[in-house]
Amino acid sequence: MSAIEQAKGVLSWLNIETPSWAYGNSGTRFKVFSQAGVPRDPFEKIADAAQVHKFTGSAPTVALHIPWDKVADYKVLADFAGEKGVALGTINANTFQDDDYKLGSVCHPDPAIRKKAVAHLLDCIEIMNQTGVRDLKLWFADGTNYPGQDNIADRQNRLADSLQQTYSHLAGDQRLLLEYKFFEPAFYHTDVPDWGTSFAHCLNLGERAFVCVDTGHHAPGTNIEFIVAVLLRAKKLGAFDFNSRFYADDDLIVGAADPFQLFRIMHEVNSNGGFGTGSPVSFVLDQCHNIEGKIIGQIRSIMNVQEAVAKAVLVDQTALRAAQVSGDVLEANSIIMDAFNTDVRPLIAEWRIEQGLNPDPIKAFKASGYLQQIEGERVGGNQAGWGA
Ligand code: RM4
Ligand code: MN
């Protein structure tokens, strides 16, 4: 199979999940700017996500955040998604927006608060049971702001216990994804700060527990592709949360800040069995579009991921291996750079045409009139926002 056919094959296989919260209003702690036509409930978020799938052909599932996307009947929401041509995706638990969680949730010193947090995680599993969703994603805002505030090791014990209680309720193909983040909202220490901590807990939990790598959750200069290679080798990379950052957890469009880093990550995914049948990796966007259009921002994000993936698949693996074993340092590096410097946009446009898609998804979405339609229809009510 030619390299181009291989790239097209991976593009056809690749599904990229979009997050419901990307369609709502968002901002920084300084200001949330509202946009006309923004969804007012989970149904309207899903309708927008379906547009991203319609024009990219690659975003068939939508991640939910509970309770932001709380509805009376999740089967009704799942059926609605099906009618729109998409399905519900990862269930994201939220134990960070309740007054009770000031000192943490699953690591809180008070057992009653921990119990409340675990009960929420079990509610999330119940939603998975009702809808057939496979993945539960856990990101905890737990941590401390001041040295001495709490006992770090005790908090690890509480975390392990809370995770175990949750994990024991998983059945069938259900998975637990444990996401890490090195700071924020806690500023001194975070209870799951890095991949090592997440990995250690996942190993203890068992085969249904996987690490989630959010690309924005590392200290500047961290070699994320190394983490990806190590986790894939251990068969513990369960998911990506894609976004890009210049400084902290900026949640900007993936590939916008550092397309070369995204390519290097995809090269490790490709080299370590992360693409294709049997891969444990799910590819999810976790972004906020504070000042740019939301649906269009998601479409651009999918395109950026596809470009990085296509370039990674174009790396001549046979030549690379030969250069590596013969110690030809510069040849090995130039093989990588040749792939990165290839303009894959014509290849992807051709692939889109073969899929019956418009070769220019952004232009096609703009021309569809959907934005004008929702701006006209979605008048009144409360727009969804980060936290609503
Ligand atoms: C967190 C983390 C989670 C996401 C929330 C909205 O920083 O990245 O994955 O669900 O933000
Ligand atoms: Mn995330």
Side-chain angles (χ1 to χ4, degrees):
M1 205 196 285
S2 75
I4 289 180
E5 281 166 10
Q6 272 182 40
K8 287 181 177 174
V10 173
L11 290 173
S12 301
W13 169 86
L14 182 69
N15 287 330
I16 304 157
E17 186 163 299
T18 75
S20 69
W21 53 100
Y23 303 99
N25 285 324
S26 64
T28 65
R29 60 189 169 182
F30 299 102
K31 171 72 180 163
V32 172
F33 297 101
S34 62
Q35 293 183 18
V38 154
R40 294 159 301 174
D41 58 41
F43 292 89
E44 292 181 350
K45 291 181 197 174
I46 284 173
D48 288 2
Q51 291 292 306
V52 176
H53 183 48
K54 179 175 172 190
F55 290 97
T56 63
S58 299
T61 57
V62 193
L64 299 185
H65 218 294
I66 309 296
W68 296 346
D69 296 317
K70 196 169 178 194
V71 291
D73 188 337
Y74 290 93
K75 271 194 75 74
V76 172
L77 190 65
D79 289 346
F80 175 81
E83 282 162 28
K84 294 283 170 190
V86 291
L88 303 184
T90 311
I91 301 295
N92 289 257
N94 180 327
T95 56
F96 53 86
Q97 286 186 313
D98 194 297
D99 284 338
D100 278 343
Y101 298 140
K102 187 168 79 171
L103 300 179
S105 62
V106 291
C107 304
H108 197 286
D110 181 347
I113 307 287
R114 297 203 294 279
K115 199 170 168 201
K116 169 176 166 165
V118 171
H120 172 68
L121 306 186
L122 301 188
D123 285 348
C124 289
I125 295 178
E126 187 46 37
I127 297 171
M128 293 158 64
N129 293 339
Q130 286 165 20
T131 55
V133 164
R134 184 188 63 176
D135 289 347
L136 171 68
K137 195 174 78 200
L138 306 180
W139 173 74
F140 299 115
D142 290 51
T144 62
N145 274 3
Y146 294 98
Q149 180 187 320
D150 198 0
N151 183 296
I152 292 175
D154 283 355
R155 292 181 71 94
Q156 285 296 307
N157 290 335
R158 299 172 201 149
L159 173 65
D161 179 57
S162 302
L163 287 173
Q164 183 57 52
Q165 287 183 49
T166 308
Y167 184 85
S168 66
H169 283 78
L170 297 176
D173 68 349
Q174 290 174 343
R175 314 192 304 171
L176 181 157
L177 305 172
L178 184 58
E179 180 175 352
Y180 58 90
K181 180 175 173 179
F182 76 120
F183 89 111
E184 194 193 47
F187 294 123
Y188 170 56
H189 101 275
T190 298
D191 290 307
V192 190
D194 51 27
W195 73 272
T197 309
S198 174
F199 183 57
H201 283 283
C202 288
L203 280 181
N204 278 336
L205 288 169
E207 58 182 12
R208 288 197 175 101
F210 293 85
V211 179
C212 169
V213 174
D214 182 311
T215 49
H217 288 189
H218 307 85
T222 301
N223 184 333
I224 300 174
E225 57 269 31
F226 171 83
I227 298 170
V228 167
V230 169
L231 288 176
L232 274 168
R233 176 176 176 274
K235 305 205 178 336
K236 279 291 186 194
L237 179 62
F240 280 107
D241 266 7
F242 284 122
N243 50 62
S244 72
R245 49 80 66 88
F246 287 99
Y247 299 103
D249 187 19
D250 304 345
D251 280 338
L252 296 173
I253 287 175
V254 57
D258 189 349
F260 184 40
Q261 180 191 55
L262 184 61
F263 160 79
R264 297 193 310 263
I265 291 172
M266 294 308 185
H267 170 60
E268 291 307 327
V269 174
N270 186 42
S271 307
N272 293 286
F275 294 137
T277 324
S279 166
V281 187
S282 75
F283 300 81
V284 186
L285 302 177
D286 178 11
Q287 303 178 167
C288 292
H289 303 298
N290 300 350
I291 57 170
E292 67 274 32
K294 293 164 195 306
I295 300 173
I296 218 165
Q298 291 289 286
I299 295 176
R300 164 59 64 195
S301 307
I302 304 267
M303 294 167 75
N304 287 359
V305 172
Q306 289 174 324
E307 284 177 26
V309 167
K311 288 178 185 210
V313 179
L314 289 186
V315 169
D316 185 339
Q317 295 282 351
T318 316
L320 181 62
R321 185 63 70 177
Q324 288 170 347
V325 296
S326 68
D328 196 338
V329 177
L330 289 181
E331 176 62 13
N333 180 243
S334 71
I335 289 165
I336 294 285
M337 295 312 295
D338 279 348
F340 175 64
N341 288 317
T342 305
D343 183 357
V344 292
R345 290 172 300 179
L347 181 166
I348 301 176
E350 199 178 276
W351 169 79
R352 288 198 182 103
I353 293 168
E354 289 163 11
Q355 304 295 310
L357 296 163
N358 190 298
D360 187 339
I362 289 189
K363 206 167 140 193
F365 171 69
K366 279 185 178 165
S368 73
Y370 182 81
L371 263 184
Q372 290 75 5
Q373 184 198 322
I374 56 173
E375 285 173 13
E377 283 171 8
R378 296 177 185 168
V379 178
N382 285 329
Q383 291 190 325
W386 215 80

